[in-house]
Amino acid sequence: MSDNLNTDPQVERGAKDYRTDLKPIWCAGCGDYGVVNAVVKAFMKLQIDPEKTVMVGGIGCSSRLPLFVATYGFHGVHGRTLPIATGVKVARPELTVVAVSGDGDGYSIGAGHLPHACRRNANITYIVMDNAIYGLTKGQTSPTSARNFLTKSTPEGALENPVEPLSLALVMGATFVARGFSSRPNELADMIAEGIDHKGFSWIDVFSPCPTFNRVNTFDFYKERVQPLPDDHDRTDKLHALSLADVEDPYYLGVFYKVDKPTFEEGIDERVKEHTAQGVTLDKLLTRYA
Ligand code: SF4
């Protein structure tokens, strides 16, 4: 955490209270700069206490983000961002937990964790910086790269169709599903703040271009195609959200879906209270497995 941390609850926290002294080592023009700015703006908006906040990252350029934000942080292993974040939340439910990763970490290596994070509905905000390429390993095709995408790993073009993250999130049962663009940090900050405020698993996919290795999905590519969600979209209408998630021109930005359901921590808390009221001890519970 930063030595300059403002811990006085009476004094409004500004951007410097949420930034560490470390300078990001991302390439010039990387989309992830916009995302870290949006995270800081969201924290300022909510005035969240950095000492009661944990950011968890996986592996990849984007997963370095917790290093640059003055909260507690955990730099995990590849693809395991969500299990670590879930463990933190279950152990310390009073903490705000924000998990960050990239499309490789989240949608390929860690993809097996997505349905379970959705169905558990732990109160975690998950931000995926989606650049449709593996940047840290110098430019291989990722799960969100387009069909026929040319990289070192697919020199004749990718033969797979890309994953569509929002459709996955909706079908798997995430209770908050949104899409942002790193070039619009104010909008993205509002989305992140709303995701943190949401009681349950919030999944925010962010177009965050990699100008070094992806010359297709550039800032200009998205600027020409993004649009806000239609005003009449009902955020509780999953089928309508699905029909908008799949559209590629325009790519809609905003909160596609938001519903309330019990969280994983609430379920655990209820069980503990039931057992405590019945005088059931941990030792007694463990005898079931003997
Ligand atoms: Fe960003 Fe791409 Fe550079 Fe990684 S390689 S820091 S994703 S621009």
Side-chain angles (χ1 to χ4, degrees):
M1 299 186 77
S2 167
D3 292 340
N4 306 322
L5 182 64
N6 166 19
T7 53
D8 183 345
Q10 304 303 321
V11 178
E12 186 168 314
R13 294 184 181 93
K16 72 174 175 42
D17 297 309
Y18 293 108
R19 298 297 294 249
T20 62
D21 297 331
L22 290 176
K23 295 268 176 285
I25 54 168
W26 294 316
C27 309
C30 177
D32 297 348
Y33 286 101
V35 182
V36 74
N37 287 341
V39 167
V40 167
K41 282 173 193 277
F43 287 2
M44 282 167 62
K45 184 172 180 178
L46 298 174
Q47 285 292 297
I48 66 162
D49 183 347
E51 292 194 321
K52 293 189 177 138
T53 304
V54 182
M55 295 204 70
V56 180
I59 295 292
C61 297
S62 53
S63 287
R64 290 180 172 138
L65 192 146
L67 295 169
F68 315 125
V69 182
T71 61
Y72 286 98
F74 194 107
H75 201 170
V77 290
H78 216 174
R80 308 299 165 224
T81 317
L82 289 175
I84 294 166
T86 306
V88 172
K89 189 66 189 175
V90 168
R92 296 288 303 274
E94 76 280 13
L95 301 180
T96 298
V97 180
V98 179
V100 291
S101 65
D103 41 299
D105 191 82
Y107 300 153
S108 183
I109 296 157
H113 299 297
L114 294 169
H116 310 296
C118 291
R119 69 195 181 90
R120 282 191 189 110
N121 198 36
N123 193 358
I124 294 167
T125 306
Y126 185 39
I127 303 167
V128 183
M129 284 156 265
D130 186 352
N131 55 19
I133 200 151
Y134 282 88
L136 189 69
T137 48
K138 302 194 183 299
Q140 295 83 19
T141 292
S142 93
T144 52
S145 304
R147 192 177 175 87
N148 295 320
F149 195 68
L150 293 169
T151 65
K152 292 168 194 164
S153 63
T154 53
E156 295 182 23
L159 290 175
E160 296 101 335
N161 294 312
V163 158
E164 203 299 285
L166 299 194
S167 303
L168 279 185
L170 289 161
V171 169
M172 288 176 177
T175 54
F176 181 102
V177 179
R179 179 158 62 203
F181 179 24
S182 65
S183 186
R184 298 188 178 189
N186 290 334
E187 266 175 37
L188 181 58
D190 288 345
M191 231 175 266
I192 293 170
E194 196 175 345
I196 292 171
D197 246 359
H198 173 70
K199 187 174 68 69
F201 183 62
S202 308
W203 180 338
I204 305 170
D205 186 78
V206 184
F207 293 139
S208 184
C210 169
T212 303
F213 293 112
N214 187 336
R215 307 293 163 85
V216 177
N217 305 99
T218 60
F219 283 99
D220 286 343
F221 173 91
Y222 289 116
K223 279 177 186 167
E224 285 163 13
R225 289 169 175 80
V226 295
Q227 257 185 40
L229 281 166
D231 288 340
D232 63 352
H233 172 56
D234 172 1
R235 292 168 162 198
T236 63
D237 186 340
K238 188 183 276 195
L239 284 181
H240 195 236
L242 262 171
S243 71
L244 297 173
D246 218 18
V247 178
E248 290 188 2
D249 198 1
Y251 287 114
Y252 288 112
L253 301 179
V255 179
F256 285 64
Y257 188 65
K258 184 179 176 182
V259 289
D260 285 330
K261 286 189 180 173
T263 66
F264 192 51
E265 312 86 85
E266 286 172 338
I268 292 173
D269 194 43
E270 272 173 32
R271 289 281 162 83
V272 170
K273 282 184 181 141
E274 279 167 23
H275 288 315
T276 306
Q278 293 161 5
V280 180
T281 61
L282 183 60
D283 285 345
K284 201 167 169 186
L285 282 174
L286 290 174
T287 58
R288 293 179 185 175
Y289 305 100

